[in-house]
Amino acid sequence: MKHAFTLAEVLITLGIIGIVAALTLPALISSNRNKQLETGLKRSYSLIQQAFDMYQAENGERLLPVAAVDASTKTFYKKIMPYFKILKDCGNNETSDCVPYINNTAMDDERNFNKYKTFSGQILKKLDLLDDGQFILTDGSIILVEDNIFGNNYISIDVNGYNKNPNRWGQDLFTFQLMKDGKILPMGAEGTNFTDDKYCSATSSEQYNGIACTYKALTDKDYFNNLPK
């Protein structure tokens, strides 16, 4: 006599498979996304370092921090941009049509330009450390440059582009600092301007929370497995 599964047994089996899938798939999807973000950060760091190396090779010296004399100069942005493979130059905070500058005026709130969040998930209401030049690379990532009057030159990168989540500092948006000796260091490393724990915390309400996470993301092997929700 041949034995076969009854309809009830098949349905029970499918139900069990569905339950197991429902329990495991979210974790697998999250793990895969986090791995992509980790790979994106490492690739982006390499691209940034290569750009500065190419600047040195062409100009015979390292690019050193420069201070913007006024809002129109954007010297850091203009000097480093040619050494990347660019899909689109978005301009600066006054002209950018990619990630426009945000301040807390009613008009800007209505325009809904809140693209980014802090590491802990709060709306990043000011992009004043990301607004002095923006350009999209051919791989879809976007560079956001800070070039201020004190010569604090930062270069941030959204490794998967501003149209893809999570759009959070320390998760897919990472910041590096150009040091006085011409080295590019991940923000949060010793000697950079943001090293305090409140700038990379799952609970901090600091408006720049996440800016110092780059160093941890590159050195802590469990970093991407413990991203805040």
Side-chain angles (χ1 to χ4, degrees), residues 64-94:
L64 301 179
V66 290
V69 178
D70 57 55
S72 65
T73 57
K74 311 300 180 190
T75 49
F76 179 43
Y77 161 57
K78 291 177 180 178
K79 285 186 175 182
I80 197 58
M81 185 172 62
Y83 300 95
F84 289 91
K85 294 181 179 179
I86 298 174
L87 181 65
K88 179 181 180 180
D89 178 5
C90 303
N92 58 38
N93 62 303
E94 297 177 352

Side-chain angles (χ1 to χ4, degrees), residues 2 25 35 55 59 92-93 96 100 102 117 135 155 174 191:
K2 294 183 178 180
L25 278 179
K35 187 63 178 178
Y55 177 94
N59 295 276
N92 58 38
N93 62 303
S96 176
I102 298 170
K117 296 181 180 180
F135 46 93
I155 183 165
F174 298 95

Side-chain angles (χ1 to χ4, degrees), residues 35-218:
K35 187 63 178 178
Q36 290 177 345
L37 296 179
E38 180 180 9
T39 301
L41 169 59
K42 292 177 179 178
R43 181 190 68 245
S44 297
Y45 189 21
S46 177
L47 288 175
I48 291 171
Q49 289 178 314
Q50 288 174 28
F52 282 86
D53 287 343
M54 285 189 287
Y55 177 94
Q56 180 182 21
E58 185 170 307
N59 295 276
E61 60 184 7
R62 299 294 295 178
L63 177 59
L64 301 179
V66 290
V69 178
D70 57 55
S72 65
T73 57
K74 311 300 180 190
T75 49
F76 179 43
Y77 161 57
K78 291 177 180 178
K79 285 186 175 182
I80 197 58
M81 185 172 62
Y83 300 95
F84 289 91
K85 294 181 179 179
I86 298 174
L87 181 65
K88 179 181 180 180
D89 178 5
C90 303
N92 58 38
N93 62 303
E94 297 177 352
T95 62
S96 176
D97 56 359
C98 295
V99 188
Y101 177 76
I102 298 170
N103 57 36
N104 295 321
T105 66
M107 182 182 71
D108 283 326
D109 289 340
E110 291 174 1
R111 290 163 72 189
N112 193 29
F113 283 151
N114 294 329
K115 287 278 187 183
Y116 289 108
K117 296 181 180 180
T118 67
F119 187 60
S120 55
Q122 298 177 328
I123 293 295
L124 187 61
K125 293 184 178 180
K126 293 185 68 177
L127 294 181
D128 58 327
L129 298 185
L130 307 166
D131 68 339
D132 289 337
Q134 304 165 359
F135 46 93
I136 301 173
L137 305 186
T138 54
D139 65 0
S141 58
I142 180 170
I143 296 283
L144 306 102
V145 172
E146 170 60 18
D147 178 10
N148 71 24
I149 61 174
F150 302 106
N152 291 318
N153 298 158
Y154 309 143
I155 183 165
S156 300
I157 186 164
D158 183 336
V159 301
N160 61 356
Y162 62 96
N163 285 324
K164 291 184 179 180
N165 289 327
N167 281 348
R168 287 166 72 166
W169 230 335
Q171 296 199 21
D172 59 345
L173 177 65
F174 298 95
T175 300
F176 301 84
Q177 181 173 342
L178 177 60
M179 308 303 290
K180 292 181 179 180
D181 60 1
K183 291 181 179 179
I184 286 288
L185 294 185
M187 194 67 80
E190 184 178 356
T192 58
N193 289 347
F194 294 89
T195 57
D196 194 286
D197 287 342
K198 68 181 179 181
Y199 296 114
C200 186
S201 167
T203 58
S204 173
S205 59
E206 163 62 45
Q207 65 175 337
Y208 300 131
N209 181 23
I211 191 173
C213 289
T214 309
Y215 179 72
K216 291 182 179 179
L218 288 167

